Amino acid sequence: MDRPASAPPRQYRYYEFVMAAFVAVYLCSNLIGPAKAAQLELPLIGAVTFGAGVLFFPISYVFGDVLTEVYGYARARRVIWAGFGAMLFASVMAWVVVKLPPAPGWLNQPAYEVAYGSTWRIVLASLVAFFCGEFINSFVLAKMKVWTEGRHLWARTIGSTIFGEGVDSMLFYPLAFWNSGLIPNELLPAIMLSQFLTKVGVEVVLTPVTYKVVGLLKRAEREDYYDRNTNFTPFSIKA
């Protein structure tokens, strides 16, 4: 539904909880998952090695889809900025804590540096990729909702994720690792493709969950927002 610009802002029962869940998933997937390289044996494929965070990072896109679908682009934009600010603060805090001189009897500094000592190049690449990818995801979903008149939710969630995750992967890996010496440049395209396909695959698998959550929230909030007259600039927190 649309509202005049002069209408008082709606109050929602669950919006803040969805925001908190989005920020928590984003922080955990970036601070906990990337430090571990995992390997699984898959039928017909064999051993597959991947960063553990790739299993959970796409959930932030699911929350982004839910927010835009139910509450509209402007309120999703506020949540994206909240996640961006939280990650920036967490990165600064991690850098400060890692750099603090360890006590003489504390022997875990090397392990702590491995877990939380990401370089600023990787941190900045993550922030840029997240900012661009999430806003594109939300923008595409909002536009597709208007074009489809609210039909075919699965097409909107998967289609927006393809664009959002595609931009995220294309930005993050070159910005973080090109000519870094950590990953050979010639391997980056294959890694970007595999990560992109994995993230989109997670979105596809979680589509039934997205349907369920969207349906519950629309009924509970009595809201089904259409962004027909929305200012889509990302540089605002106005809802």
Side-chain angles (χ1 to χ4, degrees):
M1 63 184 69
D2 297 308
R3 292 187 182 83
S6 59
R10 273 283 310 272
Q11 298 297 316
Y12 297 103
R13 298 168 60 187
Y14 300 108
Y15 173 72
E16 289 82 4
F17 293 103
V18 181
M19 173 188 287
F22 174 94
V23 174
V25 168
Y26 175 57
L27 287 178
C28 289
S29 63
N30 277 273
L31 295 178
I32 299 173
K36 180 174 181 176
Q39 186 175 86
L40 292 176
E41 289 285 342
L42 300 180
L44 305 178
I45 298 177
V48 177
T49 303
F50 56 92
V54 76
L55 294 178
F56 299 99
F57 180 74
I59 299 176
S60 68
Y61 276 77
V62 173
F63 279 112
D65 292 341
V66 170
L67 284 159
T68 306
E69 176 69 22
V70 178
Y71 302 105
Y73 175 89
R75 289 183 176 85
R77 175 174 58 199
R78 290 172 65 89
V79 176
I80 294 170
W81 273 110
F84 184 88
M87 187 60 198
L88 183 61
F89 173 77
S91 300
V92 172
M93 181 177 176
W95 180 81
V96 171
V97 172
V98 167
K99 292 299 183 182
L100 285 173
W106 193 69
L107 305 179
N108 297 318
Q109 180 69 13
Y112 207 85
E113 290 177 357
V114 170
Y116 298 106
S118 297
T119 67
W120 273 106
R121 178 175 175 178
I122 294 175
V123 170
L124 290 175
S126 176
L127 288 170
V128 170
F130 164 79
F131 182 88
C132 296
E134 283 288 353
F135 273 117
I136 287 174
N137 177 76
S138 186
F139 173 81
V140 170
L141 190 142
K143 286 293 188 180
M144 288 184 68
K145 184 174 183 179
V146 174
W147 296 338
T148 62
E149 298 181 349
R151 298 188 298 269
H152 311 307
L153 175 60
W154 64 270
R156 299 198 297 279
T157 59
I158 295 173
S160 62
T161 297
I162 289 173
F163 282 96
E165 294 283 16
V167 169
D168 185 285
S169 296
M170 285 191 295
L171 287 175
F172 174 72
Y173 288 96
L175 290 175
F177 299 113
W178 184 262
N179 287 336
S180 68
L182 298 174
I183 298 177
N185 290 346
E186 60 270 17
L187 294 182
L188 286 177
I191 294 173
M192 291 162 59
L193 179 61
S194 66
Q195 296 288 298
F196 166 72
L197 293 176
T198 301
K199 292 173 181 177
V200 173
V202 172
E203 172 76 33
V204 172
V205 170
L206 292 177
T207 295
V209 178
T210 305
Y211 263 81
K212 188 71 173 179
V213 174
V214 165
L216 289 172
L217 283 175
K218 284 182 178 180
R219 290 191 295 272
E221 304 283 32
R222 298 181 181 179
E223 181 65 280
D224 187 7
Y225 199 91
Y226 284 76
D227 286 287
R228 292 192 174 94
N229 301 304
T230 300
N231 179 0
F232 285 99
T233 176
F235 303 107
S236 173
I237 60 172
K238 182 179 179 181

